[in-house]
Amino acid sequence: MKKLLNDPADLGTDSLRGFGAAHADLVRVNLDPNYVVRADAPVQGKVGVLSGGGAGHEPMHGGFVGMGMLDVACPGEIFTSPTPDQMYEATKAVDGGAGVLHIVKNYTGDVLNFEMAADLARTDGIEVSAVVTNDDVAVQDSLFTAGRRGVGVTVLAEKIVGAAAEEGRDLAAVTEICERVNAQGRSMGMALTSCTVPAAGKPTFELGEDEMEIGIGIHGEPGRERRKLASAREVVEMLATPIVEDLPFSSGDEVLAFVNGMGGTPQIELYLVYHELATLLEGRGITITRNLVGSYITSLEMAGCSITLLKLDDELTRLWDAPVRTAGLRWGA
């Protein structure tokens, strides 16, 4: 295992210390328990927006804490859910009197622990709502979930919902926006290589030099099938067709197209994937009006990519365009 490490057991905490030092103008880092909170929290009268999950998916979620996106993020150990006490303390840290929305990826541990944290917060009189994202069309159940996994739509929801909260909307309205984004988005991913969790010290799974996994999850969960390596055009066809046909997306739709790197894929390949995706969608009469290309929801150093499509309406488009200032996304501010 070749990684930049001191002690694998300290990687998460040491990384948080570095993140806090690098972005002290945006966030504060709390280490007991671990969470990353926007520097000016709590914002009185504003709905707090919280998300979280296992570490190893950076920049999600801590990289999306700041004005116009998340108020606080809870990182667990690598690929391990944060604990209820983390989420409970984080919820209290961003309660400005208007309630707190939990955005939860559909992984069993995350869902259960978020539910426990919400119950604890409610006993303190904090109003809490939750939306579970489940946009992955690859498999109905996985090693980590009952039902579809929550993947790329989570990033888009955090941006759009964060903008709605920044406008001063109430908790019910912010929750409705999050539910709409989740309902109108679909994703699917693939892997060219495994990643290595430092504590394990070996690849999570084995792939031959001429093989790829289609429909992979963000923790190395098995996908739909293992196939021989194909061209980027063929890979996009394998990922985008199930996405388009699932919602379904139709001719005349306007979408946000999100091409995401899994951590070990260079940007030049991601833009190639985007070109192929744009060509495929154009052939189906679907118009890309917004896009995001880069590594935003990763699996350590795994090579591969995922595609997410979100059907846009005027309101979601305006909220996507609203100013955001975080370590991982920044425009208009």
Side-chain angles (χ1 to χ4, degrees):
M1 179 176 64
K2 295 175 72 174
K3 290 180 181 287
L4 288 169
L5 292 170
N6 294 317
D7 184 335
D10 296 332
L11 173 59
T13 301
D14 288 348
S15 180
L16 280 178
R17 289 192 176 99
F19 182 80
H23 303 290
D25 58 324
L26 299 174
V27 302
R28 290 180 280 114
V29 171
N30 192 83
L31 296 178
D32 187 22
N34 288 349
Y35 59 81
V36 178
V37 61
R38 60 188 275 179
D40 59 348
V43 181
Q44 294 302 312
K46 174 188 172 299
V47 171
V49 183
L50 184 161
S51 194
H57 305 302
E58 292 70 20
M60 190 179 74
H61 298 279
F64 301 143
V65 173
M67 192 283 293
M69 212 161 171
L70 295 177
D71 290 84
V72 64
C74 291
E77 298 299 321
I78 291 179
F79 295 175
T80 302
S81 174
T83 59
D85 69 298
Q86 281 180 260
M87 301 169 186
Y88 169 55
E89 293 297 333
T91 300
K92 291 194 296 182
V94 296
D95 174 36
V100 179
L101 171 65
H102 290 176
I103 301 177
V104 187
K105 299 189 303 301
N106 188 32
Y107 292 94
T108 301
D110 288 356
V111 172
L112 293 174
N113 289 351
F114 265 105
E115 287 177 350
M116 293 175 64
D119 288 342
L120 289 170
R122 290 182 185 117
T123 64
D124 289 345
I126 301 172
E127 190 178 3
V128 178
S129 66
V131 175
V132 178
T133 59
N134 54 0
D135 51 302
D136 191 347
V137 304
V139 292
Q140 183 59 39
D141 300 295
S142 80
L143 302 177
F144 287 73
T145 64
R148 288 178 168 176
R149 301 173 289 222
V151 286
V153 153
T154 314
V155 176
L156 310 184
E158 290 174 359
K159 167 65 187 79
I160 291 170
V161 167
E166 206 72 47
E167 288 183 347
R169 301 189 192 192
D170 64 21
L171 182 59
V174 170
T175 302
E176 185 277 327
I177 289 286
C178 195
E179 290 170 340
R180 195 188 328 164
V181 171
N182 186 51
Q184 296 184 183
R186 298 289 188 275
S187 301
M188 190 163 162
M190 59 85 65
L192 296 169
T193 70
S194 176
C195 60
T196 296
V197 176
K202 61 181 182 180
T204 303
F205 57 93
E206 298 290 343
L207 268 177
E209 283 297 315
D210 62 344
E211 291 180 320
M212 61 183 180
E213 183 86 14
I214 298 294
I216 196 81
I218 57 173
H219 307 98
E221 308 98 311
R224 284 188 170 189
E225 58 181 331
R226 184 163 296 189
R227 299 179 59 137
K228 294 295 183 184
L229 196 60
S231 69
R233 182 170 300 126
E234 291 169 308
V235 168
V236 169
E237 178 77 27
M238 293 176 207
L239 299 182
T241 299
I243 292 171
V244 170
E245 294 178 350
D246 188 89
L247 195 62
F249 293 87
S250 305
S251 178
D253 282 346
E254 295 186 351
V255 300
L256 190 163
F258 174 25
V259 173
N260 174 65
M262 303 301 285
T265 305
Q267 199 77 5
I268 189 172
E269 295 178 22
L270 297 180
Y271 279 118
L272 167 59
V273 169
Y274 180 78
H275 166 68
E276 296 297 342
L277 177 62
T279 302
L280 184 149
L281 294 180
E282 183 180 10
R284 290 174 174 262
I286 299 168
T287 302
I288 299 175
T289 56
R290 298 291 185 276
N291 65 66
L292 184 67
V293 181
S295 297
Y296 294 99
I297 171 171
T298 62
S299 299
L300 295 170
E301 77 278 26
M302 181 186 291
C305 70
S306 61
I307 289 172
T308 298
L309 297 181
L310 172 64
K311 188 180 294 188
L312 289 173
D313 54 38
D314 290 344
E315 183 177 38
L316 297 188
T317 302
R318 185 179 61 76
L319 292 170
W320 176 259
D321 290 342
V324 60
R325 188 166 183 263
T326 71
L329 277 184
R330 190 176 304 200
W331 57 73

Short mmCIF file of all heavy atoms in Angstrom, two decimals, residues 1 3 194-206 301:
data_model
loop_
_atom_site.label_atom_id
_atom_site.label_comp_id
_atom_site.label_asym_id
_atom_site.label_seq_id
_atom_site.Cartn_x
_atom_site.Cartn_y
_atom_site.Cartn_z
N MET A 1 0.85 -1.20 0.00
CA MET A 1 0.00 0.00 0.00
C MET A 1 0.88 1.24 0.00
O MET A 1 1.68 1.43 0.92
CB MET A 1 -0.90 0.00 1.25
CG MET A 1 -1.80 1.23 1.36
SD MET A 1 -2.95 1.15 2.77
CE MET A 1 -1.83 1.17 4.17
N LYS A 3 0.62 5.11 0.20
CA LYS A 3 -0.21 6.26 0.49
C LYS A 3 0.56 7.24 1.37
O LYS A 3 1.51 6.84 2.07
CB LYS A 3 -1.50 5.84 1.22
CG LYS A 3 -2.50 5.07 0.38
CD LYS A 3 -3.73 4.70 1.21
CE LYS A 3 -4.75 3.91 0.41
NZ LYS A 3 -5.46 4.74 -0.56
N SER A 194 -9.98 -0.71 -8.32
CA SER A 194 -10.46 -0.63 -6.95
C SER A 194 -9.75 0.53 -6.24
O SER A 194 -8.85 1.17 -6.79
CB SER A 194 -10.17 -1.92 -6.20
OG SER A 194 -10.54 -1.82 -4.85
N CYS A 195 -10.18 0.79 -5.02
CA CYS A 195 -9.44 1.66 -4.12
C CYS A 195 -8.93 0.81 -2.96
O CYS A 195 -9.32 -0.35 -2.82
CB CYS A 195 -10.32 2.79 -3.59
SG CYS A 195 -11.75 2.21 -2.66
N THR A 196 -8.03 1.38 -2.16
CA THR A 196 -7.50 0.69 -0.99
C THR A 196 -7.84 1.49 0.26
O THR A 196 -7.38 2.63 0.42
CB THR A 196 -5.98 0.51 -1.09
OG1 THR A 196 -5.69 -0.33 -2.21
CG2 THR A 196 -5.42 -0.13 0.17
N VAL A 197 -8.64 0.92 1.13
CA VAL A 197 -8.93 1.56 2.42
C VAL A 197 -7.69 1.40 3.30
O VAL A 197 -7.20 0.28 3.46
CB VAL A 197 -10.15 0.91 3.08
CG1 VAL A 197 -10.39 1.49 4.47
CG2 VAL A 197 -11.39 1.07 2.19
N PRO A 198 -7.14 2.51 3.82
CA PRO A 198 -5.87 2.41 4.56
C PRO A 198 -5.87 1.38 5.68
O PRO A 198 -4.88 0.66 5.86
CB PRO A 198 -5.68 3.83 5.10
CG PRO A 198 -6.38 4.69 4.11
CD PRO A 198 -7.58 3.90 3.67
N ALA A 199 -6.95 1.28 6.42
CA ALA A 199 -6.99 0.33 7.53
C ALA A 199 -6.94 -1.11 7.04
O ALA A 199 -6.47 -2.00 7.77
CB ALA A 199 -8.25 0.56 8.37
N ALA A 200 -7.42 -1.36 5.81
CA ALA A 200 -7.39 -2.72 5.24
C ALA A 200 -6.04 -3.01 4.61
O ALA A 200 -5.55 -4.15 4.67
CB ALA A 200 -8.51 -2.88 4.22
N GLY A 201 -5.45 -2.02 3.96
CA GLY A 201 -4.12 -2.17 3.40
C GLY A 201 -4.05 -2.94 2.10
O GLY A 201 -2.96 -3.25 1.62
N LYS A 202 -5.19 -3.28 1.52
CA LYS A 202 -5.21 -4.00 0.25
C LYS A 202 -6.43 -3.55 -0.54
O LYS A 202 -7.41 -3.03 0.04
CB LYS A 202 -5.26 -5.50 0.47
CG LYS A 202 -6.48 -5.96 1.22
CD LYS A 202 -6.47 -7.48 1.44
CE LYS A 202 -7.73 -7.93 2.15
NZ LYS A 202 -7.75 -9.39 2.37
N PRO A 203 -6.43 -3.73 -1.86
CA PRO A 203 -7.58 -3.30 -2.66
C PRO A 203 -8.88 -3.93 -2.18
O PRO A 203 -8.91 -5.09 -1.78
CB PRO A 203 -7.21 -3.77 -4.07
CG PRO A 203 -5.71 -3.84 -4.07
CD PRO A 203 -5.33 -4.27 -2.69
N THR A 204 -9.94 -3.14 -2.25
CA THR A 204 -11.25 -3.62 -1.81
C THR A 204 -11.74 -4.77 -2.68
O THR A 204 -12.41 -5.68 -2.22
CB THR A 204 -12.26 -2.47 -1.83
OG1 THR A 204 -11.76 -1.40 -0.99
CG2 THR A 204 -13.63 -2.89 -1.33
N PHE A 205 -11.43 -4.72 -3.99
CA PHE A 205 -11.79 -5.81 -4.89
C PHE A 205 -10.73 -5.86 -5.98
O PHE A 205 -9.91 -4.94 -6.13
CB PHE A 205 -13.20 -5.62 -5.47
CG PHE A 205 -13.40 -4.32 -6.20
CD1 PHE A 205 -13.20 -4.24 -7.58
CD2 PHE A 205 -13.78 -3.17 -5.52
CE1 PHE A 205 -13.39 -3.05 -8.26
CE2 PHE A 205 -13.97 -1.97 -6.18
CZ PHE A 205 -13.76 -1.91 -7.56
N GLU A 206 -10.73 -6.92 -6.74
CA GLU A 206 -9.76 -7.12 -7.82
C GLU A 206 -10.43 -6.97 -9.17
O GLU A 206 -11.52 -7.52 -9.40
CB GLU A 206 -9.12 -8.51 -7.70
CG GLU A 206 -8.34 -8.74 -6.41
CD GLU A 206 -7.05 -7.94 -6.36
OE1 GLU A 206 -6.61 -7.45 -7.42
OE2 GLU A 206 -6.50 -7.80 -5.25
N GLU A 301 -8.95 6.59 -4.14
CA GLU A 301 -8.23 6.72 -5.41
C GLU A 301 -8.81 5.86 -6.51
O GLU A 301 -8.16 5.60 -7.53
CB GLU A 301 -6.75 6.39 -5.20
CG GLU A 301 -6.44 4.89 -5.09
CD GLU A 301 -6.68 4.30 -3.71
OE1 GLU A 301 -7.50 4.84 -2.95
OE2 GLU A 301 -6.03 3.29 -3.40
#
